[in-house]
Amino acid sequence: MVDKAKATDDSQIENFAKLEILKKAAAKQEEQRYVMKLMNIFNEAAIFKNKFTQNWTDFVDFLRGDQWPKRRPSYRVSAVLNIILENIERKDALLTDAKPIPKVTARNERFQDTADILNLMLEKIFESSSFNQAMVDLVHNSQTFGNGGVGTVYNSDIFQGRGDVEIVSYDPRAYYFDPLVRRPYLLAEGEYTIIEDIWSLAKAKDMYPEVADNISANAGLSRYSMNSKDGFFSRISSIVGRKKTEEFKSSEIPRVFIREFWIRDRQKKDGKY
């Protein structure tokens, strides 16, 4: 009887172990399908965006004073009087002089206390230094690329871990929208938004502990060049015709590339989203 009971227990443990393995395999397959779906969404947005952003690199070079053709002979003087950057910086200061602070108006008297609390919070948020800095970036990017993005997120790491609302400015080259959105005032009708960023490996593992073992450093982002293009000795070596070899060194802080997806949830409960 003892041996039979032990055999039964061993069989149950074995069946349970097999069931857990099957569950993990099914979850892994589901995860891979979801990752593939996200990649397809990104490719759709990236292909559409590339039609309008293929000259953005030239815009940045032109703004910084690199306005002559790339194959211009070296013996010609490539003098530039860059008044474009000066005008844009002046407009940055003028357009950010005033602070737009939204105001919540209660449609019913019983919500007036709630509206007063929201207005107080909005006033503190939009008068913060993070909003001022993000607004400058927004105006500058809008003049350079024709658009700019600002996100209002909750950052749990700021204020010694107490957390607070943070205004973040996004580089237009680092975010993607649903291609069906053709007008700025229709952004709320988009199905998804994608934001790209670079984090340290430690931050990524801390933010996503469940998959920390699957996160690894990006070799390209974790290296930096030892040759400075603007250094004195670098210029001297180029003048005398000395052949330079690019030397890279690994960073002490490994980095990872992050792609964040915000997708509209179309699931309904009781007939409502």
Side-chain angles (χ1 to χ4, degrees):
M1 292 293 295
V2 175
D3 293 340
K4 185 176 181 180
K6 183 178 180 181
T8 302
D9 292 340
D10 292 342
S11 177
Q12 291 178 351
I13 293 174
E14 183 178 356
N15 291 335
F16 179 78
K18 291 181 179 179
L19 181 61
E20 289 297 315
I21 293 175
L22 292 176
K23 287 182 178 179
K24 291 182 179 179
K28 188 66 175 179
Q29 292 179 356
E30 182 67 22
E31 179 183 351
Q32 291 176 350
R33 285 194 295 267
Y34 195 71
V35 170
M36 183 60 64
K37 177 181 178 179
L38 294 179
M39 287 301 302
N40 292 335
I41 292 176
F42 171 76
N43 290 333
E44 175 190 31
I47 291 174
F48 183 83
K49 181 180 178 181
N50 186 57
K51 299 178 181 178
F52 304 94
T53 63
Q54 54 187 348
N55 295 325
W56 279 9
T57 302
D58 297 334
F59 295 168
V60 176
D61 293 340
F62 197 86
L63 177 65
R64 294 176 177 175
D66 189 8
Q67 301 173 5
W68 289 99
K70 298 296 183 182
R71 296 184 178 181
R72 184 174 173 81
S74 58
Y75 61 86
R76 293 183 178 273
V77 178
S78 300
V80 174
L81 181 60
N82 194 1
I83 61 175
I84 297 178
L85 179 60
E86 181 181 352
N87 288 328
I88 285 183
E89 290 179 343
R90 183 182 296 110
K91 289 183 179 179
D92 291 344
L94 292 174
L95 294 174
T96 56
D97 186 35
K99 299 178 181 179
I101 300 178
K103 184 178 181 180
V104 178
T105 302
R107 295 186 177 180
N108 193 305
E109 292 184 357
R110 59 178 177 171
F111 299 127
Q112 187 58 48
D113 292 339
T114 303
D116 293 339
I117 295 174
L118 290 175
N119 285 325
L120 181 61
M121 294 177 61
L122 288 172
E123 183 178 353
K124 297 300 181 182
I125 292 173
F126 281 82
E127 286 184 350
S128 64
S129 60
S130 63
F131 175 75
N132 295 334
Q133 297 168 0
M135 189 175 178
V136 173
D137 288 341
L138 171 65
V139 173
H140 188 85
N141 289 332
S142 298
Q143 294 186 85
T144 306
F145 304 108
N147 67 95
V150 174
T152 305
V153 296
Y154 185 83
N155 189 347
S156 60
D157 294 331
I158 60 178
F159 288 108
Q160 292 78 39
R162 291 178 295 174
D164 198 357
V165 175
E166 185 180 21
I167 310 297
V168 182
S169 176
Y170 297 115
D171 191 306
R173 293 166 290 184
Y175 59 75
Y176 305 80
F177 286 111
D178 185 351
L180 292 180
V181 177
R182 299 299 183 92
R183 297 290 185 272
Y185 55 84
L186 298 178
L187 291 179
E189 299 182 4
E191 295 294 328
Y192 62 84
T193 301
I194 306 171
I195 303 172
E196 295 179 331
D197 201 356
I198 297 175
W199 292 358
S200 66
L201 180 62
K203 178 181 177 180
K205 290 189 174 185
D206 184 56
M207 292 289 293
Y208 305 102
E210 298 85 0
V211 292
D213 295 336
N214 299 330
I215 302 176
S216 58
N218 187 298
L221 298 176
S222 302
R223 297 191 305 165
Y224 61 93
S225 174
M226 296 293 293
N227 297 329
S228 175
K229 295 182 179 180
D230 298 327
F232 173 78
F233 290 103
S234 177
R235 293 198 299 267
I236 292 297
S237 62
S238 63
I239 292 175
V240 299
R242 190 178 302 168
K243 185 177 180 180
K244 297 185 298 181
T245 58
E246 196 74 8
E247 181 182 356
F248 290 93
K249 186 176 180 179
S250 297
S251 173
E252 295 295 335
I253 302 178
R255 313 284 179 175
V256 293
F257 185 77
I258 299 295
R259 187 173 289 145
E260 184 178 2
F261 290 78
W262 293 79
I263 301 177
R264 183 184 295 276
D265 189 0
R266 289 292 181 179
Q267 297 181 2
K268 291 184 177 181
K269 184 178 181 180
D270 298 331
K272 298 180 181 180
Y273 288 112

